Amino acid sequence: MTPIDLAAAEVDTPKLGRKRDHTRDPEILAAALDVLAETGYDRMTIDMVATRAKAGKATLYRRWASKAELVIDAVACMKNAGIDMANLPDTGTLRGDLVANIKPHSIQDGDRKIHVMAGLMSMISCEPGLADAVQSAIVEPRARVNRLLLQRAIDRGEIPADCDMEKLSLLVASMAMYRTMVQRKTANREFLISVIDELLLPAVGLRP
Amino acid sequence: MTPIDLAAAEVDTPKLGRKRDHTRDPEILAAALDVLAETGYDRMTIDMVATRAKAGKATLYRRWASKAELVIDAVACMKNAGIDMANLPDTGTLRGDLVANIKPHSIQDGDRKIHVMAGLMSMISCEPGLADAVQSAIVEPRARVNRLLLQRAIDRGEIPADCDMEKLSLLVASMAMYRTMVQRKTANREFLISVIDELLLPAVGLRP
DNA sequence: CATATCCGAAACTCAACGGTTTCGGATATA
DNA sequence: TATATCCGAAACCGTTGAGTTTCGGATATG
């Protein structure tokens, strides 16, 4: 490549002709998440994603430099997927808030996130950016909701202020992850409510 | 191969010459577990295991038909590795028993088991035998100990008999797994005791 | 001591997959 | 309408790793 070619390559002048179609990017990322959740990072191939998204492999590589970048992007775009922090339920009791938060949609979203995490588990320690992406897109949003609901309960004097908010906010997620990954059962509504009633509420001194 | 050769191959007559040396099998399985815990199933190679065990790759294939069988065998042989069900601590209180069970050795053993599980996570859904091996070698032994300690507490009237023993016996393991895999922090003695004091004991009505 | 078998090392085969390139056809811009 | 760029499909390349084979040296058995 001559210096002239280099200069031409550096300047991006996409003025004439068809523009790149970015409308299908979300579909591709969704396909990537599906394959990831089903088969895990290492066994997932670019071909699988392309086929599922009904796109060419070359199209994927035009947008993401590598498999790793595609996956990181896909995980990042799950952020706040099933959570609207704006209008959380406010029922007046901790149990009411927690239970109201268990909707079919959020159960399904949580299940998907756990499966994605399982698919990334072995890879998460190699790829540095991956741990961050998982943390901020999967783990943190859920924990934030629980922290808020707990804080409300503290503010209204329903539960003691010196409770271990950090562990409490991760309790349901931990049990759901264990149930899904290890016991290979689904963390359905019944299970989640049972964790709340048998573990979380008793732990803060509330007998349901 | 002629019928005569086949017949000769079917009959195993290792009468003369050197016998196969099985004394190093445990070292090889231990090496496999180390690599598994460090790199995960998919990125683990037979060469890595052979090198770590200072053995030839051919030696491994003389004993195990495939990578999958080697790993299943390695996981299966962790059974009861760090647990002696025979003489568990019996301090007279649930907290005493649970805390007495947290020894440096058992912390390390638990940590290793979690890392092995993380390495197997994505693979566990493909290989059918793997889920069973993990269940009976990693998950069940720990749960059994906790169930026993909880049952003792019930028998002596320390905690209510209608508590959710199943979830309680998995609580510590769930939190430890979440902390190790997701938060990527170590589940050390301080953490484990804190889970017992802040979550488990309050949940059964005991304020420490 | 003789020999059948084992061992570790290394070379080898083969398939899968990440990543690149090419190509004919479609399409948005001018 | 003309053209520059896009698209999906498919062929292609290079590497990696599972599994096999070969080989010289070691060793237990007889």
Side-chain angles (χ1 to χ4, degrees), chain B residues 16-52:
Chain B
L16 244 53
R18 186 182 179 180
K19 299 230 169 67
R20 179 165 290 172
D21 175 20
H22 277 209
T23 65
R24 303 210 40 236
D25 286 12
E27 290 176 56
I28 297 173
L29 292 174
L33 285 178
D34 283 344
V35 177
L36 188 57
E38 285 168 21
T39 70
Y41 181 90
D42 303 277
R43 304 172 74 81
M44 150 186 176
T45 71
I46 299 289
D47 277 315
M48 285 186 207
V49 179
T51 301
R52 168 111 28 154

Side-chain angles (χ1 to χ4, degrees), chain B residues 1-140:
Chain B
M1 207 182 232
T2 70
I4 292 172
D5 287 336
L6 269 170
E10 277 168 6
V11 179
D12 50 302
T13 48
K15 291 183 175 175
L16 244 53
R18 186 182 179 180
K19 299 230 169 67
R20 179 165 290 172
D21 175 20
H22 277 209
T23 65
R24 303 210 40 236
D25 286 12
E27 290 176 56
I28 297 173
L29 292 174
L33 285 178
D34 283 344
V35 177
L36 188 57
E38 285 168 21
T39 70
Y41 181 90
D42 303 277
R43 304 172 74 81
M44 150 186 176
T45 71
I46 299 289
D47 277 315
M48 285 186 207
V49 179
T51 301
R52 168 111 28 154
K54 283 187 262 303
K57 193 162 54 154
T59 302
L60 271 67
Y61 275 105
R62 273 177 216 124
R63 288 164 172 71
W64 295 277
S66 68
K67 176 177 167 179
E69 284 189 25
L70 169 64
V71 168
I72 289 176
D73 219 16
V75 170
C77 89
M78 303 182 79
K79 198 174 241 173
N80 308 324
I83 295 175
D84 51 346
M85 205 71 184
N87 46 355
L88 288 176
D90 191 351
T91 65
T93 67
L94 178 58
R95 184 179 193 279
D97 287 356
L98 291 171
V99 171
N101 226 28
I102 304 177
K103 292 162 291 193
H105 177 256
S106 76
I107 294 176
Q108 202 176 343
D109 176 67
D111 194 61
R112 180 191 178 82
K113 283 182 174 173
I114 290 176
H115 278 102
V116 168
M117 254 199 310
L120 292 174
M121 244 345 50
S122 70
M123 199 55 187
I124 219 168
S125 45
C126 318
E127 282 287 332
L130 207 46
D132 300 338
V134 167
Q135 180 66 26
S136 67
I138 299 183
V139 178
E140 185 51 25

Side-chain angles (χ1 to χ4, degrees), chain B residues 157-207:
Chain B
E158 191 183 1
I159 65 174
D162 68 341
C163 66
D164 190 336
M165 172 124 42
E166 207 42 49
K167 285 191 189 61
L168 287 170
S169 67
L170 301 177
L171 174 59
V172 176
S174 298
M175 298 296 294
M177 176 169 142
Y178 192 91
R179 184 174 173 90
T180 305
M181 288 194 192
V182 179
Q183 302 188 291
R184 319 207 69 76
K185 301 177 191 169
T186 59
N188 54 16
R189 179 181 176 82
E190 183 191 359
F191 170 80
L192 296 171
I193 289 183
S194 156
V195 171
I196 291 171
D197 284 340
E198 309 291 329
L199 293 181
L200 197 151
L201 295 179
V204 292
L206 297 174
R207 309 256 62 173

